[in-house]
Amino acid sequence: MFEDLRFPLIAAPMAGGPTTPELVAAVTAAGGFGFLAGGYLSADALSDRIAKTAELTAEPFGVNLFVSGGSATDADLGAHIERWRAEAEGLGVEPGEPRWDDDAYAAKLEVVLARKVPVVSFTFGTPSAEDVERLHANGSKVAATVTSPAEADRAVAVGADALVVQGFEAGAHRGLFADEPGAEGGGAQYGVLSLLRLVAARTDLPLVATGGLVHGADIAAVLAAGAVAAQLGTAFLRADEAGTQPAHRQALADGGRPTAFTRAFSGRPARSLVNRAVADFSATAPSAYPEVNNLTKPIRAAAGKAGDPEIMSLYAGQTYELAGSGPAASIVERLQVEAREAATRLSRLR
């Protein structure tokens, strides 16, 4: 699936805008592989983006879907709603409805089946064994994002063809199957190299490493540790082809902000640059996804239009300050050079 790439690099699916058909096409043209982000899109919008990407590249690409966490939360959202209502008033917008939904999972599954997407990856859980069988029968390979050895076991059990092993260094949402409300970061935290080695010890499936990888030496490191490819997201947030909002780009370029896990924006643990919303709302933010995400969505959108980074979800990995900018092709080229230099340094082990 990924073993034959000219360069073992995958552009991560970054939902909410950063991942575009143009970015996916540029990375595939440069010898890597790209995933479209299906999260938060309607089924029709996803279908359109798949069609657009297919117009831009004849190379294979993938689509990522969010797996529903099941029934709605029973968390008390009242205080969090009021905090965000005050922000909404300042921007002249109304908060969103804090409702539960399944991100149109079933409809989007039908889209990737109809479009015969070569690789379909899943985050926040695994598809059912029946869904995996349907995808396999349609000619698609299945990848599952895992954040622990136990999650890896579950993904293997339903028939996944590959595992995307996500370390806690990753930006944006952790791919946790279940968010533990009392746990920082929502559950067990494994660094990408530790988790890669633990998962490799229990399965022979191809492993893709992800989490805080922004340098070619990072790619070389995870390949040496047993991965068949490295998946990078933060490294492409400032690519010319990315749909990252200008205020988000500027905050990344400015640097200086630490990152932290927060449920403030979505109700699910996600790594963000620390801004006022993260600092003020995280401690009392409920574990309530996607209710909180739906609540804050119009407020964050208004903040983005206003160029106010203090109440935007500035998602990024721990090493964001080392990421560059420019055309995606030049970013891939830089990563290739750095990876080769790192591989040369490994010759000292002879």
Side-chain angles (χ1 to χ4, degrees):
M1 179 173 13
F2 303 121
E3 295 90 336
D4 297 330
L5 294 175
R6 298 202 311 274
F7 183 50
L9 174 144
I10 298 170
M14 296 179 285
T19 293
T20 63
E22 290 77 12
L23 178 60
V24 171
V27 172
T28 59
F33 186 91
F35 273 106
L36 282 175
Y40 310 135
L41 299 177
S42 68
D44 287 343
L46 175 59
S47 184
D48 290 344
R49 292 200 184 189
I50 294 172
K52 177 63 174 178
T53 306
E55 291 175 1
L56 296 172
T57 178
E59 298 295 326
F61 59 90
V63 170
N64 175 260
L65 301 180
F66 289 168
V67 179
S68 167
S71 60
T73 182
D74 58 1
D76 181 3
L77 306 182
H80 203 61
I81 290 172
E82 291 309 310
R83 289 187 178 94
W84 278 104
R85 189 182 304 281
E87 300 292 349
E89 290 175 355
L91 290 164
V93 297
E94 289 293 322
E97 180 186 354
R99 60 181 177 79
W100 182 87
D101 63 69
D102 68 354
D103 201 48
Y105 172 82
K108 286 190 266 195
L109 181 65
E110 295 304 321
V111 167
V112 297
L113 286 164
R115 290 285 185 178
K116 294 188 179 296
V117 174
V119 184
V120 184
S121 70
F122 295 85
T123 300
F124 301 155
T126 65
S128 68
E130 292 75 18
D131 287 345
V132 173
E133 289 176 3
R134 292 184 67 199
L135 288 162
H136 284 165
N138 202 50
S140 300
K141 297 292 187 180
V142 173
T145 305
V146 300
T147 65
S148 71
E151 290 178 353
D153 290 344
R154 289 175 57 184
V156 171
V158 300
D161 300 293
L163 304 180
V164 180
V165 178
Q166 186 196 54
F168 66 76
E169 305 95 335
H173 287 104
R174 300 195 69 199
L176 296 162
F177 289 10
D179 176 18
E180 300 175 20
E184 181 183 4
Q189 296 185 32
Y190 293 91
V192 63
L193 288 176
S194 299
L195 184 57
L196 184 60
R197 297 307 307 143
L198 288 169
V199 174
R202 57 209 295 145
T203 180
D204 293 328
L205 287 182
L207 305 180
V208 174
T210 190
L213 311 178
V214 300
H215 192 280
D218 301 335
I219 297 172
V222 297
L223 293 179
V228 299
Q231 180 172 281
L232 282 65
T234 299
F236 293 104
L237 278 173
R238 292 169 58 209
D240 293 351
E241 298 87 347
T244 311
Q245 293 193 52
H248 192 174
R249 285 179 182 269
Q250 190 61 52
L252 294 167
D254 290 344
R257 295 179 189 253
T259 67
F261 287 128
T262 183
R263 295 183 179 88
F265 303 112
S266 73
R268 215 176 210 284
R271 185 177 293 281
S272 172
L273 306 189
V274 175
N275 56 10
R276 180 166 58 83
V278 172
D280 293 350
F281 297 173
S282 293
T284 56
S287 173
Y289 178 90
E291 290 90 340
V292 172
N293 191 71
N294 288 329
L295 165 73
T296 68
K297 184 176 180 179
I299 307 170
R300 290 180 284 127
K305 290 180 180 179
D308 180 3
E310 293 306 318
I311 51 175
M312 295 171 60
S313 48
L314 303 175
Y315 293 150
Q318 281 187 322
T319 50
Y320 76 92
E321 290 176 298
L322 303 179
S325 60
S330 70
I331 294 174
V332 173
E333 182 179 4
R334 172 181 61 80
L335 292 167
Q336 288 177 315
V337 170
E338 293 168 347
R340 293 189 187 108
E341 291 173 347
T344 299
R345 291 194 292 273
L346 287 176
S347 63
R348 297 171 54 195
L349 297 177
R350 293 178 189 172

